[in-house]
Structure formats: structure tokens, C-alpha cells
């Protein structure tokens, strides 16, 4: 099993969620996050004064998939979240040792 963490733009959340649902991914966790990458934030104007925004608001999507669905899930997220502009985001993949469904005690892929 793999855990996919995707950092994407806010307005791409629905597109990614719908695309993953069509793929058969049944659960996900969404977190509003702030950070910066190579772009190092951006500047904005407020009442005629320019100021720097160091941390750009994004959304982090976390999903867990079995190994067979990993590449299709990554491709789906990339296709749904991509705009071609700087700041589209990143995808991180981690190995999961195990998963446990609290209600039933099921483990492994059965708990997904």
C-alpha cells in the first residue's frame, strides 16, 4: 500500500476529487495548508501598498491506494491538477506498513 500526498491549488480540489472518485478511490483527507517552493511566495497590493506573502495557500489531499492503483492515481492527480503554471504543486508517495479499520479491526487492503 502507498500513501499519496498531493499539494495542489485550491480551485483544483474539486477536479482532483471527482477524478479520483471516478478512478475508484473511496476515501481521502483534505487539509488547507500554506507553504512555498521555488516561487518563494508572491507579492500582493493592499490599499496601494505592496507586501510580500511568504506562504502561499494550497490544499493537501491524502489518499491511500494499493500498489496496483498507484500509477493510475498519480496520473489522475497530475492530469486533474495541472495548469502548466509555476505553483501547480507536488505529489509525495510513501510506503505504508499497515492500515487498520478501527470499527472492525480489518487490516491491510481490506481496511481501505
Amino acid at each position: 500500500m502507498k500513501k499519496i500526498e498531493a499539494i495542489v491549488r485550491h480551485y483544483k480540489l474539486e477536479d482532483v476529487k471527482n477524478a479520483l472518485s471516478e478512478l475508484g478511490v473511496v476515501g481521502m483527507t483534505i487539509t488547507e495548508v500554506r507553504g512555498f517552493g521555488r516561487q518563494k511566495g508572491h507579492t500582493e497590493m493592499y490599499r496601494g501598498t505592496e507586501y510580500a506573502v511568504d506562504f502561499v495557500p494550497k490544499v493537501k489531499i491524502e489518499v491511500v491506494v494499493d500498489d496496483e492503483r498507484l500509477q493510475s492515481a498519480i496520473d489522475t492527480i497530475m492530469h486533474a491538477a495541472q495548469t502548466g503554471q509555476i505553483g501547480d504543486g507536488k505529489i509525495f508517495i510513501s510506503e505504508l506498513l499497515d492500515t487498520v479499520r478501527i470499527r472492525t479491526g480489518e487490516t491491510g487492503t481490506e481496511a481501505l
Side-chain angles (χ1 to χ4, degrees):
M1 290 180 296
K2 302 287 194 278
K3 179 180 180 182
I4 301 171
E5 296 177 75
I7 311 295
V8 301
R9 299 174 189 270
H10 275 92
Y11 65 87
K12 287 296 193 172
L13 174 60
E14 279 300 310
D15 295 341
V16 173
K17 180 187 73 114
N18 293 336
L20 286 172
S21 294
E22 288 177 18
L23 184 65
V25 175
V26 293
M28 62 184 68
T29 301
I30 309 299
T31 310
E32 295 206 17
V33 295
R34 300 171 68 82
F36 67 89
R38 289 183 183 166
Q39 64 191 17
K40 304 279 193 259
H42 63 278
T43 58
E44 290 185 3
M45 294 290 287
Y46 180 71
R47 294 187 179 185
T49 304
E50 187 174 301
Y51 65 98
V53 177
D54 293 331
F55 296 102
V56 179
K58 301 280 181 154
V59 175
K60 179 165 77 168
I61 303 167
E62 297 174 86
V63 296
V64 176
V65 297
D66 55 17
D67 292 340
E68 294 79 36
R69 284 194 177 168
L70 176 64
Q71 193 57 52
S72 59
I74 292 169
D75 294 342
T76 299
I77 293 168
M78 283 181 58
H79 179 70
Q82 194 172 54
T83 67
Q85 302 293 317
I86 292 173
D88 274 353
K90 294 269 192 301
I91 299 174
F92 304 100
I93 297 101
S94 312
E95 183 75 37
L96 282 185
L97 297 177
D98 204 0
T99 303
V100 179
R101 179 174 285 142
I102 295 172
R103 178 176 54 87
T104 61
E106 293 171 300
T107 60
T109 55
E110 291 82 33
L112 296 180

